[in-house]
C-alpha cells in the first residue's frame, strides 16, 4: 500500500490506521495480537480490528482494479471499449466497498456516533453478542476473462 495517492492526498486507510493506533495507544500489529488473545476484552477493539482488515482487503482490490484499468487505457487511450467499461465498473465497485468499510471504521472510532448511546447502545451490545460477521460479501468482484493480470509490487 502506498503512503500517498498520486494526487498527493493521504490515503484514507493510513488516516484511519493512525486514528485507531492513537485511540488504543498501540500499533495495529499490537492491537491485532491483543484482540486475537482476548477478543471479548474490548469489543470496540475487536470490531475495529475486523473492520480495519476488511478495509485493507477493499483497498487491495481497489488498487488492483485501478492498475488493471490504467493498463487497458494505456494500450488503447483513444478508444473506450467494453473491457474498459467493465474495469471502470470494477473500480467503482471497489471504491464503494472501500468507502463503506471506511465509514464503519469511522463509526467505531466515534464514541458519540448515532446509535452508541442509551437504548441504541444497549441494542448494539445485544446485536454484537449474536452476529456472525459482516452481512455484505467480502470477496473481490469477479475479473473479466480478458482483463490483464496485475503486476506484482505495483502500487499507485
Amino acid at each position: 500500500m502506498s503512503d500517498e495517492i498520486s494526487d498527493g492526498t493521504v490515503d484514507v486507510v493510513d488516516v484511519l490506521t493512525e486514528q485507531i493506533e492513537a485511540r488504543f495507544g498501540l500499533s495495529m500489529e499490537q492491537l491485532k495480537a491483543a484482540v486475537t488473545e482476548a477478543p471479548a476484552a474490548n469489543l470496540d477493539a475487536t470490531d475495529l480490528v475486523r473492520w480495519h482488515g476488511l478495509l485493507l482487503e477493499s483497498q487491495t482490490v481497489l488498487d488492483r482494479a485501478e492498475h488493471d484499468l490504467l493498463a487497458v487505457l494505456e494500450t488503447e487511450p483513444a478508444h473506450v471499449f467494453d473491457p474498459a467499461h467493465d474495469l471502470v465498473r470494477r473500480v467503482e465497485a471497489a471504491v464503494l466497498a472501500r468507502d463503506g468499510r471506511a465509514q464503519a471504521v469511522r463509526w467505531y472510532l466515534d464514541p458519540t456516533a448515532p446509535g452508541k448511546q442509551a437504548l441504541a447502545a444497549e441494542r448494539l451490545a445485544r446485536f454484537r453478542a449474536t452476529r456472525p460477521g459482516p452481512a455484505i460479501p467480502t470477496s473481490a468482484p469477479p475479473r473479466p476473462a480478458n482483463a490483464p493480470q496485475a503486476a506484482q509490487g505495483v502500487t499507485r
Side-chain angles (χ1 to χ4, degrees), residues 106-128:
R106 286 185 190 108
W107 186 84
Y108 281 108
L109 284 169
D110 183 0
T112 63
K116 283 191 155 182
Q117 298 173 352
L119 182 58
E122 291 175 26
R123 289 180 181 156
L124 176 63
R126 280 182 279 170
F127 175 70
R128 277 185 173 166

Side-chain angles (χ1 to χ4, degrees), residues 11-71:
D11 189 335
V12 67
V13 174
D14 293 337
V15 169
L16 292 173
T17 300
E18 289 173 11
Q19 290 176 0
I20 293 168
E21 291 173 343
R23 176 172 175 189
F24 293 99
L26 299 170
S27 71
M28 280 308 297
E29 292 306 314
Q30 292 169 325
L31 188 57
K32 286 179 195 175
V35 164
T36 299
E37 187 175 310
N42 185 327
L43 293 178
D44 281 341
T46 301
D47 287 336
L48 273 167
V49 165
R50 184 179 70 247
W51 279 100
H52 184 266
L54 294 171
L55 178 61
L56 290 174
E57 177 184 301
S58 294
Q59 185 64 49
T60 300
V61 170
L62 175 57
D63 291 344
R64 187 177 319 118
E66 287 177 336
H67 177 270
D68 292 350
L69 177 59
L70 287 174

Side-chain angles (χ1 to χ4, degrees), residues 69 81-92 142 144-147:
L69 177 59
F81 52 97
D82 287 339
H85 285 287
D86 292 341
L87 290 169
V88 167
R89 283 191 288 276
R90 223 175 94 208
V91 168
E92 289 172 346
N146 59 351

